[in-house]
Amino acid sequence: MNISYNWLKDYVNFDLTPEELSAALTSIGLETGGIEEVQTIKGGLNGLVIGKVLTCVDHPNSDHLHITTVDLGEAEPAQIVCGAANVAAGQYVVVATLGTVLYSGDESFTIKKSKIRGVESFGMICAEDEIGIGTSHDGIIVLSEPVKPGTPAKEYYNIESDYILEVDITPNRIDAASHYGVARDLAAYLAHRGHDGGLHRPSVADFAIDRPDGGIAVEVENHEACIRYSGVTVRNVKVAESPDWLKQRLSAIGLRPINNVVDITNYLLHSTGQPLHCFDLNRIAGGKIIVKPAKEGDKFVTLDEVERTLTANDLMICNTEEPMCIAGVFGGLKSGVTDATTDIFLESACFNPTWVRKTARRQGLNTDSSFRFERGVDPNDTLYTLKRAALLVKELAGGEICGDIVDIYPSPVAPFSVTLTYEKIDTLIGKHIPADTVKNILRSLEIEIVSENERELSLRVPTYRVDVQRDVDVIEDLLRIYGYNHVEISDRVHSSLSYKTPTDQAHQFLNLISEQLTGCGFNEIMNNSLTCGAYYDDLQCWPHAHCVTLLNPLSNDLNVMRQTLLFGGLESISHNINRRRANLRFYENGNCYYFNPEAHNDEKILSGYSEEHHFALWLTGNRVEGSWAHPDEKSTVYEMKAYVENIFTRLGIAGDVVAVQTSDEVYSAALTYSNRGGKLLGKMGLVSHKILKRFDIDADVAFAELNWGALMKMAAKHTVLFSDLPKFQAVKRDLALLVDKSVAFADIEKVARESERKLLKEVYLFDVYEGKNLPEGKKSYAVTFMLQDENKTLNDKQIDAIMHKIISNLQQKLEAQLR
């Protein structure tokens, strides 16, 4: 937002330089990104002075040049050769002295000592167009009255440079989105430092109705969307070019002047922060304004000549026949002020921020008005701005104010009541601020002290401060003006002796696993926590009813919080496949959010809501491709299983994790991981084609999602230690087991590890057979068991005992038979 240095001085008196003003605003929360000097006339008339022509004679070597001597207020007059026909002795003229830079469009030239047909010249007597104060080149400028020689031309013409400050306001500080809003904060800053800035704004006491008749009627059908609607009729105006002061104000902040009436509305918007709109009265059919929602599917052409489709949630300013304006957002093509306009209706309203924001997003519009309405315009300031606009219209465009002011305000907005204790001020700020200082700052911020005692203050906060509704908000405002730099840092440090918290440990593990996966060729992705609610339609594992929905979503594609990391990763995979990047390994960590309708309690707003930290992996495409030494090989779900189990191993919990084959609507084949206590740790499998089809993905995608919080609780109970490589040989034993088809290898591994926890180091499957010579409903697993003692060589008696125990348990628990 651009703020004019000179414009600010209309509302508050200060003698700060632009740089000091920038530092002051930044210190109170209105961060200033840059300062730019703006000159009304390019060059600012620097180097130009008023001179008196003492003598003027013809040039001996020219029939049109003259040799003059000019008093420039210095010890000796300057000799200047001039070619203007109207130059004469005794004139007061404008002279460009040596070194002066003059501009002609984008080009410039410097006045230098020169010789013109043999005669030296030490300057230049200027015409209007040569210095930028006019377009005439008929002759030199001759001043109508005496002026002291040597007077700078910028003082004579009252040329003043302006400085534009780029102020970056935070979304909650819409009260500062105007020059008067910034002036309010600046006045409070100055007052706290002992300087009375004399905050003021133009009076509207002279406002009066010129004629009791001639006004038009207004009807508001939706008071929720239109909080307040004020308006007034002005007839017999003359639309013309704006005066220089108004054009300069607007041009300085980057706005293009249009005409006096439209420029007044733009000027007051940036002066007060209250948007205005002006209608051509002759285009208000039926002589009546109706504020109502549009009809679904209606077409409307806006000022930018774009036809837009409206919805029933778009508030419109209409006449008796058709819409004229999208309320708070953009005007219509047909109802605006033109050079032919003679009668106008001025609108100053306050529209519901939610309605304006949704309409602006739907229509893809972002205007100065919608920017302010979306964040909360003060409904109690519409009348002041309306009267100010009407007075300016009369002053600059003439006309008569006709009929009474229309002011529809069914539910007035009251100031916010806040109770503030001195104890809380000191606690939050970390320093005791005297009560008198607190009260003085509050008054300078226009926060009314209704009552007080030794402990607390009862306050009434003005309605333009939509961001100050709690005691902590008031304390933040106090600290802004008091000065963050005035809160000293104590020389005592209060700290805990705890070196590492669970959060620190979780972060450390996260970095370790990320490095491990990156080393395996994975890339980390980061997706939005907001996602599309339609992804959860017809799902049982993640029901749509359990989604945390947004009250005011930006779009239907971002209307809920994610329950799983799956869909964000599939979006990333689809994006990459469409750009011919089919071999993908992704991982992501982030929070997932849930809502349990059964646990929700209206008295406890957050009941039923929860979030968990998850870690997910995706794998698709080829594991090997384009290698001379190896044929192309697709990635498989077993490769994903290895990556997941390596994560468990790295965390030191592999021995406590149990994998169980499950059926799941999201996966065509899946494993569920849990600890021995039954706590669900995550799921892994091939994503079903039904899900992949939604994202136009034809390739298989292996996906694993782990509950990182549960993993961290398990990892905290284990310490990962390294040990020397064993010095004693491992022993391998193979078994061929006949089992039911329903038995998975994971079941065999589980029984084996429960049978021998210390010496059984590895169990793996090397063959599966189903077919001839096997009983119906049976299959054969060939399994290898690796036994090893790190301290001694195993003997046959120990090995046989372990294997006998394993076989016995397999027979009892899984009804396995040796082949």
Side-chain angles (χ1 to χ4, degrees):
M1 182 182 68
N2 290 334
I3 293 295
S4 161
Y5 178 83
N6 293 337
W7 198 338
L8 268 185
K9 288 191 171 184
D10 290 347
Y11 305 117
V12 63
N13 302 319
F14 61 90
D15 56 4
L16 302 174
T17 66
E19 291 73 20
E20 290 170 339
L21 175 62
S22 171
L25 294 180
T26 299
S27 73
I28 57 177
L30 303 179
E31 184 177 357
T32 304
I35 304 172
E36 180 184 357
E37 184 177 3
V38 176
Q39 296 172 327
T40 307
I41 295 176
K42 194 168 185 179
L45 302 186
N46 292 326
L48 295 164
V49 298
I50 306 300
K52 181 179 180 181
V53 180
L54 301 177
T55 64
C56 178
V57 298
D58 293 336
H59 194 294
N61 299 322
S62 172
D63 58 356
H64 70 281
L65 295 176
H66 306 278
I67 303 173
T68 67
T69 55
V70 184
D71 180 5
L72 300 179
E74 298 177 351
E76 296 292 333
Q79 178 175 284
I80 299 175
V81 176
C82 178
N86 65 329
V87 65
Q91 294 174 337
Y92 289 88
V93 294
V94 179
V95 178
T97 58
L98 296 180
T100 300
V101 179
L102 297 180
Y103 297 88
S104 177
D106 294 331
E107 297 180 359
S108 64
F109 63 95
T110 303
I111 302 299
K112 299 178 181 178
K113 176 184 174 181
S114 60
K115 237 180 205 185
I116 303 176
R117 296 198 179 183
V119 177
E120 289 186 324
S121 181
F122 298 89
M124 172 179 164
I125 303 176
C126 301
E128 284 185 357
D129 64 332
E130 292 171 332
I131 64 173
I133 65 168
T135 58
S136 173
H137 194 70
D138 295 338
I140 61 170
I141 302 168
V142 179
L143 305 184
S144 58
E145 55 188 15
V147 180
K148 181 181 179 181
T151 301
K154 65 166 54 179
E155 290 184 13
Y156 176 80
Y157 287 105
N158 198 25
I159 299 299
E160 206 174 43
S161 291
D162 197 358
Y163 297 87
I164 300 304
L165 286 77
E166 184 183 342
V167 177
D168 300 322
I169 63 169
T170 52
N172 63 317
R173 290 300 312 278
I174 193 59
D175 64 289
S178 67
H179 284 77
Y180 187 71
V182 173
R184 269 192 305 241
D185 266 16
L186 179 59
Y189 169 89
L190 295 172
H192 179 62
R193 285 150 184 81
H195 306 289
D196 184 7
L199 181 67
H200 56 275
R201 62 178 181 175
S203 171
V204 293
D206 293 337
F207 178 86
I209 304 298
D210 297 316
R211 284 169 40 192
D213 62 321
I216 65 170
V218 175
E219 178 184 342
V220 177
E221 293 187 3
N222 190 319
H223 293 292
E224 176 199 355
C226 181
I227 299 169
R228 186 176 189 178
Y229 194 93
S230 306
V232 69
T233 302
V234 185
R235 295 182 181 271
N236 302 319
V237 300
K238 183 178 180 180
V239 178
E241 186 178 354
S242 295
D244 289 342
W245 71 265
L246 181 53
K247 289 190 293 184
Q248 290 170 10
R249 282 281 189 261
L250 297 178
S251 298
I253 61 172
L255 295 180
R256 180 176 63 86
I258 299 173
N259 59 54
N260 50 5
V261 174
V262 174
D263 291 350
I264 287 169
T265 62
N266 288 331
Y267 169 73
L268 289 176
L269 167 68
H270 290 276
S271 290
T272 67
Q274 170 64 48
L276 298 168
H277 195 73
C278 189
F279 298 95
D280 187 331
L281 204 62
N282 294 324
R283 299 190 181 189
I284 302 178
K288 182 179 182 180
I289 283 180
I290 304 170
V291 185
K292 62 181 180 180
K295 293 181 181 179
E296 191 73 33
D298 274 359
K299 303 296 183 182
F300 181 69
V301 181
T302 45
L303 277 171
D304 55 0
E305 300 183 4
V306 175
E307 184 180 75
R308 303 180 185 276
T309 302
L310 305 176
T311 74
N313 294 318
D314 295 327
L315 187 68
M316 306 298 294
I317 311 299
C318 310
N319 55 38
T320 57
E321 297 178 359
E322 61 183 353
M324 299 185 295
C325 173
I326 304 177
V329 181
F330 211 27
L333 184 62
K334 297 180 180 180
S335 62
V337 172
T338 67
D339 292 343
T341 299
T342 57
D343 304 323
I344 62 172
F345 180 79
L346 288 169
E347 167 195 285
S348 178
C350 178
F351 300 110
N352 187 301
T354 302
W355 278 68
V356 173
R357 183 175 65 84
K358 288 184 175 181
T359 294
R361 297 299 177 274
R362 262 193 306 271
Q363 302 298 342
L365 292 169
N366 183 22
T367 63
D368 285 336
S369 294
S370 67
F371 175 83
R372 287 158 176 81
F373 280 125
E374 287 176 28
R375 289 157 178 79
V377 166
D378 182 11
N380 295 322
D381 200 40
T382 61
L383 274 185
Y384 169 82
T385 310
L386 181 66
K387 291 178 179 179
R388 179 95 174 95
L391 290 172
L392 278 173
V393 168
K394 285 189 64 177
E395 178 186 341
L396 303 183
E400 298 175 300
I401 299 174
C402 302
D404 292 333
I405 282 183
V406 176
D407 188 26
I408 301 173
Y409 194 17
S411 302
V413 177
F416 311 112
S417 296
V418 176
T419 299
L420 179 65
T421 64
Y422 292 112
E423 180 183 2
K424 192 162 187 178
I425 294 174
D426 295 347
T427 300
L428 286 187
I429 292 179
K431 177 181 179 179
H432 174 70
I433 300 179
D436 288 343
T437 301
V438 169
K439 289 186 282 189
N440 287 336
I441 293 176
L442 291 175
R443 292 189 187 99
S444 70
L445 289 168
E446 299 183 352
I447 297 176
E448 181 185 355
I449 301 174
V450 180
S451 63
E452 61 177 297
N453 57 42
E454 293 179 355
R455 294 182 56 256
E456 64 184 28
L457 300 168
S458 294
L459 308 174
R460 187 177 289 129
V461 181
T463 50
Y464 63 76
R465 289 306 303 273
V466 293
D467 62 314
V468 181
Q469 300 184 25
R470 306 168 299 166
D471 55 355
V472 289
D473 300 327
V474 177
I475 294 171
E476 180 185 1
D477 252 20
L478 282 170
L479 185 54
R480 282 195 310 111
I481 304 303
Y482 180 76
Y484 295 102
N485 292 336
H486 294 161
V487 179
E488 299 83 2
I489 298 176
S490 173
D491 56 359
R492 299 182 62 188
V493 177
H494 302 276
S495 63
S496 170
L497 295 178
S498 174
Y499 292 101
K500 186 179 292 185
T501 66
T503 302
D504 297 327
Q505 188 175 37
H507 183 70
Q508 181 183 12
F509 278 132
L510 195 60
N511 285 337
L512 287 173
I513 300 304
S514 296
E515 290 173 0
Q516 177 175 307
L517 291 172
T518 301
C520 294
F522 279 76
N523 288 301
E524 183 175 11
I525 60 174
M526 296 178 67
N527 288 295
N528 199 335
S529 296
L530 303 179
T531 187
C532 178
Y535 291 159
Y536 299 91
D537 291 343
D538 304 323
L539 287 183
Q540 298 298 320
C541 58
W542 299 304
H544 192 283
H546 289 187
C547 288
V548 178
T549 58
L550 272 66
L551 293 177
N552 299 307
L554 295 174
S555 68
N556 289 332
D557 291 335
L558 299 171
N559 59 350
V560 301
M561 305 290 283
R562 63 188 178 193
Q563 292 190 57
T564 172
L565 301 178
L566 171 63
F567 300 121
L570 293 181
E571 289 175 349
S572 300
I573 288 173
S574 176
H575 179 88
N576 280 271
I577 288 177
N578 290 338
R579 286 154 182 79
R580 301 190 179 187
R581 296 292 301 273
N583 305 325
L584 304 169
R585 289 174 169 82
F586 289 152
Y587 70 90
E588 180 182 14
N589 76 91
N591 286 348
C592 294
Y593 307 86
Y594 309 93
F595 172 64
N596 184 353
E598 298 177 358
H600 184 61
N601 185 338
D602 291 336
E603 295 181 359
K604 297 181 179 179
I605 298 176
L606 295 180
S607 62
Y609 292 93
S610 61
E611 61 181 289
E612 292 179 348
H613 191 184
H614 284 195
F615 193 97
L617 300 88
W618 293 262
L619 192 64
T620 187
N622 289 339
R623 188 176 75 86
V624 180
E625 184 176 78
S627 172
W628 66 273
H630 195 292
D632 290 357
E633 180 181 339
K634 286 186 175 296
S635 296
T636 66
V637 71
Y638 302 106
E639 185 182 349
M640 173 65 81
K641 183 172 183 285
Y643 289 128
V644 172
E645 292 183 346
N646 285 341
I647 291 175
F648 296 149
T649 301
R650 188 65 184 85
L651 296 177
I653 60 174
D656 293 332
V657 176
V658 179
V660 180
Q661 187 170 351
T662 59
S663 59
D664 196 303
E665 61 181 329
V666 173
Y667 302 97
S668 56
L671 288 177
T672 296
Y673 289 97
S674 61
N675 63 7
R676 298 191 181 278
K679 174 70 175 179
L680 181 66
L681 299 178
K683 292 183 178 181
M684 185 211 76
L686 282 173
V687 182
S688 70
H689 292 291
K690 177 183 176 182
I691 299 290
L692 296 178
K693 189 175 180 181
R694 297 184 187 181
F695 297 87
D696 295 326
I697 299 174
D698 294 330
D700 287 341
V701 176
F703 171 68
E705 185 166 20
L706 307 175
N707 186 327
W708 191 254
L711 290 180
M712 289 302 97
K713 289 181 180 178
M714 291 182 63
K717 301 175 183 178
H718 296 77
T719 301
V720 179
L721 301 174
F722 76 90
S723 58
D724 294 332
L725 291 174
K727 299 177 182 179
F728 302 95
Q729 187 70 28
V731 176
K732 182 172 74 170
R733 291 290 184 268
D734 297 336
L735 293 179
L737 301 171
L738 189 66
V739 296
D740 290 339
K741 286 188 175 182
S742 61
V743 175
F745 169 69
D747 300 324
I748 294 174
E749 182 181 16
K750 179 181 177 183
V751 171
R753 291 193 179 280
E754 289 175 348
S755 302
E756 175 55 50
R757 296 181 181 276
K758 183 178 179 182
L759 300 181
L760 181 62
K761 300 300 183 182
E762 192 173 351
V763 181
Y764 60 86
L765 181 68
F766 66 89
D767 187 45
V768 180
Y769 176 73
E770 294 180 76
K772 295 180 181 180
N773 303 324
L774 290 183
E776 185 70 25
K778 298 288 186 177
K779 61 182 175 182
S780 175
Y781 277 146
V783 183
T784 294
F785 300 87
M786 299 293 294
L787 306 175
Q788 187 177 43
D789 190 329
E790 296 176 358
N791 300 315
K792 62 181 180 180
T793 302
L794 290 173
N795 56 47
D796 290 341
K797 184 176 180 180
Q798 289 175 297
I799 297 169
D800 291 342
I802 293 172
M803 294 305 300
H804 177 74
K805 185 177 180 181
I806 291 174
I807 293 170
S808 178
N809 286 337
L810 289 172
Q811 291 172 340
Q812 291 178 15
K813 296 182 179 181
L814 301 179
E815 297 182 355
Q817 302 173 30
L818 290 177
R819 291 187 66 197

